[in-house]
Amino acid sequence: MIKQIEFSTYHEIIVFELRAATRRYFEVWEDVLDKAESERPAYAANVEQSRLPIVVLSCTLLESAINFYLCSKCTAEQFRKIEHTGLEKKWSLTPQKFVPNYCLPQTTDLANDLSKLVSRRKVVIHSKPMMSIDGDARHIGNEPPIAWDEHDFMGQCVSLPFRLVRNLREFDPDSHPALDNIDLYCATAAGEFEKRQN
């Protein structure tokens, strides 16, 4: 029986900033929606600028949430062996070490949203420019195409930590009570987007 638990709460700071980034995004998004439809594509870079923190912070929150869960399940030595696992594998496979029936089917929206978000984060964090000097096309680059309307994707990003934590808890209903804190904060991030959307 656990008698005492202490845990850090940096995930709360991540959530506060993700919520603030969501509010900033909606200010830009709504401003662009007020423009004539033919003008909106000209504001794609402005919208992308406000999407960037959402992508990065959503992944940061995902990493924090899964590491929190895994730390509650394993010793420090066990965690050292799995901590450098990629984010997708941490969510899709690693929990099976502790909850054998855990499942994140690859054909679900949950898995697809996770894959899309992690892919976007990778090209943002490991950005490589397209470069051509005197027509030599030396680097094709890897930056994401900038579209003015990825609003649904933003909603998926912000809500994904909450949806993944809920999925995890369905398979592990006896997960550590401290996970309630992560669940609650992820819910407030998802709720921020939903509130602004409504």
Side-chain angles (χ1 to χ4, degrees), residues 14-175:
I14 296 166
V15 167
F16 287 136
E17 188 53 33
L18 177 55
R19 290 177 66 195
T22 299
R23 290 189 294 272
R24 290 189 302 268
Y25 161 75
F26 266 93
E27 288 172 11
V28 173
W29 175 248
E30 289 167 0
D31 184 53
V32 171
L33 285 181
D34 285 342
K35 311 284 185 206
E37 195 168 334
S38 62
E39 295 176 23
R40 292 175 188 169
Y43 294 89
N46 300 60
V47 179
E48 181 68 11
Q49 184 179 345
S50 67
R51 286 191 294 243
L52 184 84
I54 290 175
V55 168
V56 174
L57 289 166
S58 293
C59 272
T60 304
L61 182 55
L62 283 174
E63 187 82 35
S64 181
I66 194 62
N67 285 343
F68 191 100
Y69 173 77
L70 295 173
C71 283
S72 76
K73 291 294 192 181
C74 62
T75 66
E77 183 179 328
Q78 290 171 319
F79 187 72
R80 276 192 293 278
K81 292 177 182 175
I82 60 176
E83 73 177 309
H84 297 295
T85 303
L87 186 55
E88 280 187 84
K89 284 187 180 177
K90 273 187 183 175
W91 277 104
S92 60
L93 299 174
T94 307
Q96 291 174 345
K97 294 178 186 290
F98 309 101
V99 182
N101 68 332
Y102 175 78
C103 184
L104 183 62
Q106 293 306 301
T107 57
T108 63
D109 287 343
L110 212 47
N112 290 335
D113 291 349
L114 176 61
S115 182
K116 187 175 177 183
L117 175 57
V118 169
S119 294
R120 177 64 67 90
R121 182 203 60 87
K122 282 180 184 174
V123 298
V124 167
I125 299 298
H126 305 289
S127 180
K128 298 177 189 121
M130 180 283 295
M131 180 73 62
S132 181
I133 299 176
D134 294 330
D136 66 359
R138 61 183 67 192
H139 300 289
I140 61 168
N142 71 340
E143 296 164 345
I146 299 177
W148 79 269
D149 185 358
E150 287 189 305
H151 189 67
D152 290 342
F153 177 55
M154 290 298 97
Q156 293 160 0
C157 292
V158 175
S159 68
L160 189 57
F162 174 67
R163 292 183 290 135
L164 282 169
V165 167
R166 282 293 164 102
N167 182 67
L168 185 62
R169 294 187 83 182
E170 280 182 32
F171 288 96
D172 189 3
D174 299 323
S175 59

